[in-house]
Every structure is written in structure tokens, then in C-alpha cells.
Amino acid sequence: MWEFFTANAKALSVVASFGTMVVWVFYAHLLYQAFKRQRQARILINQGWGEQINSVAIVSNMSHEPVYIQCVVLSLKLEDGRKFRDSVTDFDDAEPWNAKNDPQEITRQGPLNTGSYMNLGTFQTLLRQSGQQHDLIDGDENPVKRMGVRNFKLTVICNYGPSGEAIGVQRKFVVHGENSDRLRPDSIYSRRLTNRRARRKMERWLSEQVQNAARGEAGQPTR
């Protein structure tokens, strides 16, 4: 046996070196994946308090670092085929002095710490706010029935990490029930907007929000 090792020392040394390299590459891959997970934002959009129209939209930050919610966008699709997209970042009935003690009294914008969540309000409130921006609904009418909502997408745009790069998460909700009074998510997961096309779209939405705020307008039909 010793003669075998002696005769094949070079070959065995190469095999041992290759095995060591494979082990190091494996551990390096594990370290990289752990680092990547820590650097990757994980934002969740959930539906709380049942499936009814007045259930609550909740945004949770499960990332390793805080995020800053910059914009909340609601994209509607009606039964007649019309589509509307609006920023619902600020409360439509808020006044500046309401933020004296708590900015969350007037806006859904703001920082969200790791492991924290933000209540965006009921879906009924969000839908009614969007409908009122386009004169599709008035008063306390049921926004789903009055506007004929088929489904809608809720998009949250945040800033995350040292680069401050905009990231987005989106979830689609579908209207169902005999009286169209219930909502359910279209999928079990929130969709992360990470590709280049999605980033350009988010940048355009942010730009539109700034322009609309300058003109005193809240939103516009989707193009």
C-alpha cells in the first residue's frame, strides 16, 4: 500500500488539491448566497382581517435592513376594460397640520424597519380614493360595485440599501363572490419587480407622481 502511494504521489497530490478546491468553492458559494440574501430586499404585501372588501392591506419588511417606502401605486382594471393607475401614497383627505405629531396621519410614505409592518388602510379605502380621483365614484358608495372593478394591482416602491436604488413589489387581487364583495390574492407570493423593464416603469411612475404633485393632480388613466 505504501509503495502504491509512493509511486502515485504526484497524481494523488493533484486529486487532493482538486478536492480541496471543490470544498472551498462550495463554501464560498454558500457564503455568497448568504451575503446575497442579506443584501436582497424582501417586502411582502398581504391581506389581513378576512377576504371582505374592507380587509386591510399590510406591507411587511422582512429584509435585513430598513427600507423607505417612497410610493404606493394602485392599478385598476374595470369590467368594461378600462384601466387606471394612480398614486395612493398620500391620504386624499389629509391636511398638513395632521402631521404635526405623526407623519403617518397624512401619508403612507416613510421608513419601515426590519421585521416591521405598515397598515396601508383597507382595500375599500384605497379603491375609493382611486375612484374619486377620476370622478368614478362619489361619497361612501361601494367602490367595487360602483366602478365595476374586475381586479387591481397594488405596487409598493421602496428605497433599499446604501445605493438607495428603487425596488418594487407588487401583488394582484381579484374580486369574487356572488355580490362582488370579496377579494383574494391572485398568487401566494408578492412579485418582486427586479428586471430592467420594471425598473424603468417604476422610475416613470415616480416621475409622474412628482409632476402630478406639481400640477396638483392625483393620477391619470393607464397608457
Side-chain angles (χ1 to χ4, degrees), residues 11-219:
L12 293 174
S13 177
V14 172
V15 172
S17 298
F18 179 77
T20 302
M21 183 184 68
V22 170
V23 171
W24 277 109
V25 169
F26 175 73
Y27 278 105
H29 177 72
L30 292 181
L31 290 173
Y32 172 74
Q33 290 299 322
F35 174 77
K36 184 178 179 180
R37 284 194 298 269
Q38 290 181 357
R39 299 296 299 170
Q40 189 176 69
R42 180 167 175 77
I43 313 298
L44 307 177
I45 300 176
N46 290 312
Q47 179 181 13
W49 199 44
E51 296 183 357
Q52 59 274 16
I53 183 64
N54 61 342
S55 55
V56 178
I58 299 174
V59 178
S60 304
N61 178 24
M62 305 307 295
S63 312
H64 282 75
E65 296 183 22
V67 300
Y68 185 90
I69 297 179
Q70 188 171 359
C71 184
V72 181
V73 178
L74 188 67
S75 304
L76 295 175
K77 184 174 183 180
L78 308 185
E79 293 289 352
D80 59 11
R82 287 183 296 169
K83 297 180 180 180
F84 295 90
R85 183 186 68 250
D86 303 280
S87 168
V88 290
T89 307
D90 298 327
F91 298 109
D92 58 349
D93 57 351
E95 297 293 344
W97 53 79
N98 295 141
K100 182 177 180 180
N101 298 319
D102 186 2
Q104 291 187 355
E105 293 291 332
I106 66 168
T107 183
R108 299 177 176 95
Q109 182 181 121
L112 192 60
N113 290 324
T114 301
S116 300
Y117 69 89
M118 179 182 292
N119 183 344
L120 299 181
T122 66
F123 289 100
Q124 180 171 254
T125 299
L126 295 171
L127 292 169
R128 181 179 292 119
Q129 180 176 342
S130 178
Q132 289 175 343
Q133 290 174 2
H134 298 284
D135 296 326
L136 299 175
I137 190 173
D138 185 27
D140 296 328
E141 298 175 284
N142 185 321
V144 172
K145 291 183 178 180
R146 182 67 179 85
M147 295 188 296
V149 178
R150 178 183 299 176
N151 57 62
F152 60 90
K153 296 178 181 178
L154 187 62
T155 305
V156 178
I157 303 176
C158 310
N159 294 103
Y160 178 75
S163 65
E165 191 173 41
I167 60 171
V169 61
Q170 185 180 84
R171 200 166 190 186
K172 182 178 179 180
F173 295 87
V174 179
V175 176
H176 69 105
E178 294 182 0
N179 298 317
S180 298
D181 58 353
R182 304 181 74 82
L183 302 172
R184 62 172 175 81
D186 184 62
S187 61
I188 60 176
Y189 298 113
S190 302
R191 176 191 170 200
R192 296 179 66 249
L193 305 177
T194 57
N195 58 47
R196 184 175 300 177
R197 180 181 179 184
R199 291 183 183 279
R200 287 199 300 265
K201 183 182 294 185
M202 289 189 294
E203 290 175 358
R204 187 175 73 249
W205 290 354
L206 291 173
S207 177
E208 288 176 356
Q209 177 177 268
V210 172
Q211 294 174 5
N212 291 335
R215 293 195 303 264
E217 300 175 357

